[in-house]
């Protein structure tokens, strides 16, 4: 059971971020340093570079969380390109199954490391891949309105979370909280959609050091999915078995054999 109710939030100019209480209740909020951010409605709005705390109160319950306010959004151009692709490919006029996440999906789309292209693996299916390498759950929360929300998807396939730990150094509980916040926000926006969440892959070599944090998150969402009908947990590790090193190009990203396991998982579970 999670003790926290709010994740830490990253905010940038022009990218207001929705506050998502995981218990679904309506809180009142106060900002410790009002020179850094303000709250408009239920959104955090950038004012200047810095860090501050936000306090949430309701009927005697008090929570607080950090807000990291940054001038430069690392993925500004990447998310703009996603938006442009949505419009140019007319994904906003269709009802595709959307693949959203990090480098695992971008590399598949781009054929990085010589892997079979995503579009060739799923010929004849209306699958639309908007993966952006190195992103975290926070980067997608920042960008939902300009990317995913432009589409009326049939379903969503999500591969995200590993960079929360490897790059932002979140612990297992923080990773769970971040993932759950993103999933809750997407589910609230698309309440009738199925979200397929792919387990975080067990890495090898130097990338293996954070496995216990990733494993803890995987087990949480395996159980969470069994209790929440909107979520399907796709266990990629069960298909990798003990062949992780042979299925990875660099100890982290799948090679072409690794993507055959991804494809098998998608073919068996996603229409």
């Amino acid at each position: 059971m999670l003790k926290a109710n709010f994740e830490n939030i990253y905010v940038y100019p022009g990218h207001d971020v929705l506050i998502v209480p995981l218990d679904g209740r309506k809180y009142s909020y106060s900002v410790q340093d009002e020179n850094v951010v303000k709250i408009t409605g239920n959104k955090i709005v950038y004012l200047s570079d810095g860090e501050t705390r936000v306090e949430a109160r309701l009927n005697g319950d008090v929570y607080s969380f950090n807000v990291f306010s940054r001038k430069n959004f690392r993925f500004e151009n990447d998310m703009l390109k996603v938006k442009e692709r949505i419009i140019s490919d007319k994904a906003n006029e269709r009802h595709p199954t959307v693949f959203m996440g990090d480098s695992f999906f971008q590399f598949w789309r781009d054929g990085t490391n010589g892997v079979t292209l995503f579009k060739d693996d799923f010929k004849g299916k209306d699958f639309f891949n908007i993966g952006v390498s190195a992103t975290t759950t926070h980067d997608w929360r920042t960008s939902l309105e300009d990317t995913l929300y432009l589409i009326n998807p049939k379903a969503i396939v999500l591969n995200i979370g590993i960079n929360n730990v490897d790059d932002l150094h979140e612990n297992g509980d923080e990773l769970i909280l971040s993932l759950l916040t993103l999933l809750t926000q997407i589910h609230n926006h698309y309440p009738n959609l199925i979200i397929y969440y792919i387990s975080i892959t067990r890495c090898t070599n130097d990338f293996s050091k954070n496995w216990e944090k990733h494993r803890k998150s995987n087990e949480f969402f395996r159980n969470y999915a069994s209790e929440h009908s909107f979520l399907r947990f796709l266990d990629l590790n069960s298909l990798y078995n003990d062949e992780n090193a042979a299925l990875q190009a660099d100890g982290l990203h799948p090679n072409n054999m690794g993507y055959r396991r991804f494809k098998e998982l998608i073919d068996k579970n996603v229409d």
Side-chain angles (χ1 to χ4, degrees):
M1 179 67 68
L2 290 176
K3 296 179 181 179
N5 194 30
F6 297 87
E7 68 160 4
N8 294 327
I9 289 178
Y10 293 75
V11 65
Y12 308 90
H15 296 279
D16 304 346
V17 178
L18 185 69
I19 304 172
V20 180
L22 292 180
D23 61 9
R25 298 193 297 168
K26 295 183 179 180
Y27 289 79
S28 60
Y29 302 102
S30 59
V31 179
Q32 186 177 77
D33 187 344
E34 295 181 340
N35 294 312
V36 175
V37 297
K38 66 178 180 179
I39 297 177
T40 301
N42 290 319
K43 290 185 176 182
I44 302 286
V45 180
Y46 172 94
L47 294 178
S48 66
D49 273 17
E51 300 176 10
T52 188
R53 297 280 289 174
V54 171
E55 192 172 83
R57 290 181 173 271
L58 178 66
N59 298 332
D61 293 333
V62 181
Y63 297 93
S64 64
F65 55 91
N66 295 315
V67 176
F68 303 99
S69 183
R70 300 290 183 260
K71 182 178 181 180
N72 296 311
F73 179 36
R74 175 184 175 187
F75 299 100
E76 189 81 54
N77 290 333
D78 298 280
M79 294 303 179
L80 179 59
K81 289 177 182 178
V82 169
K83 182 177 181 178
E84 291 171 347
R85 285 185 54 243
I86 290 170
I87 295 171
S88 64
D89 292 358
K90 297 184 178 180
N92 56 325
E93 299 177 15
R94 312 193 313 267
H95 303 288
T97 295
V98 175
F99 286 66
M100 188 179 95
D102 51 32
S103 55
F104 282 57
F105 282 171
Q106 180 174 342
F107 285 9
W108 201 355
R109 184 183 69 241
D110 295 346
T112 303
N113 297 321
V115 305
T116 303
L117 290 170
F118 180 87
K119 66 178 183 179
D120 293 333
D121 269 334
F122 298 110
K123 284 183 178 178
K125 293 189 175 182
D126 194 4
F127 286 178
F128 191 69
N129 184 332
I130 61 172
V132 175
S133 180
T135 50
T136 69
T137 60
H138 306 287
D139 302 314
W140 284 105
R141 288 238 302 126
T142 295
S143 308
L144 287 174
E145 292 187 3
D146 296 320
T147 56
L148 180 65
Y149 287 0
L150 300 178
I151 307 172
N152 183 14
K154 177 182 178 183
I156 297 166
V157 183
L158 190 62
N159 190 99
I160 197 75
I162 196 165
N163 297 315
N164 286 61
V165 173
D166 292 0
D167 294 342
L168 298 182
H169 308 296
E170 292 183 353
N171 62 37
D173 288 336
E174 289 169 335
L175 170 60
I176 291 168
L177 185 60
S178 297
L179 279 165
L180 194 54
T181 302
L182 176 63
L183 287 166
T184 300
Q185 184 173 353
I186 295 173
H187 174 58
N188 288 344
H189 190 81
Y190 298 113
N192 298 317
L193 248 61
I194 298 298
I195 302 173
Y196 299 89
Y197 175 66
I198 298 177
S199 64
I200 297 176
T201 308
R202 183 166 189 169
C203 302
T204 55
N205 301 331
D206 291 341
F207 295 106
S208 65
K209 61 185 179 181
N210 290 318
W211 170 240
E212 282 305 311
K213 300 171 187 177
H214 300 150
R215 184 197 61 76
K216 182 176 184 178
S217 176
N218 285 342
E219 288 307 308
F220 177 91
F221 285 103
R222 183 196 308 278
N223 294 329
Y224 186 85
S226 70
E227 300 170 353
H228 295 80
S229 60
F230 77 90
L231 187 64
R232 303 284 190 275
F233 180 80
L234 304 187
D235 187 4
L236 182 65
N237 290 295
S238 66
L239 294 183
Y240 265 40
N241 297 315
D242 293 323
E243 303 173 70
N244 299 62
L247 299 174
Q248 293 165 344
D250 53 8
L252 171 63
H253 301 98
N255 57 24
N256 203 50
M257 291 188 297
Y259 278 115
R260 296 314 92 208
R261 305 297 171 91
F262 266 82
K263 185 177 186 306
E264 179 183 347
L265 191 67
I266 299 303
D267 285 342
K268 285 184 177 179
N269 293 281
V270 182
D271 293 332

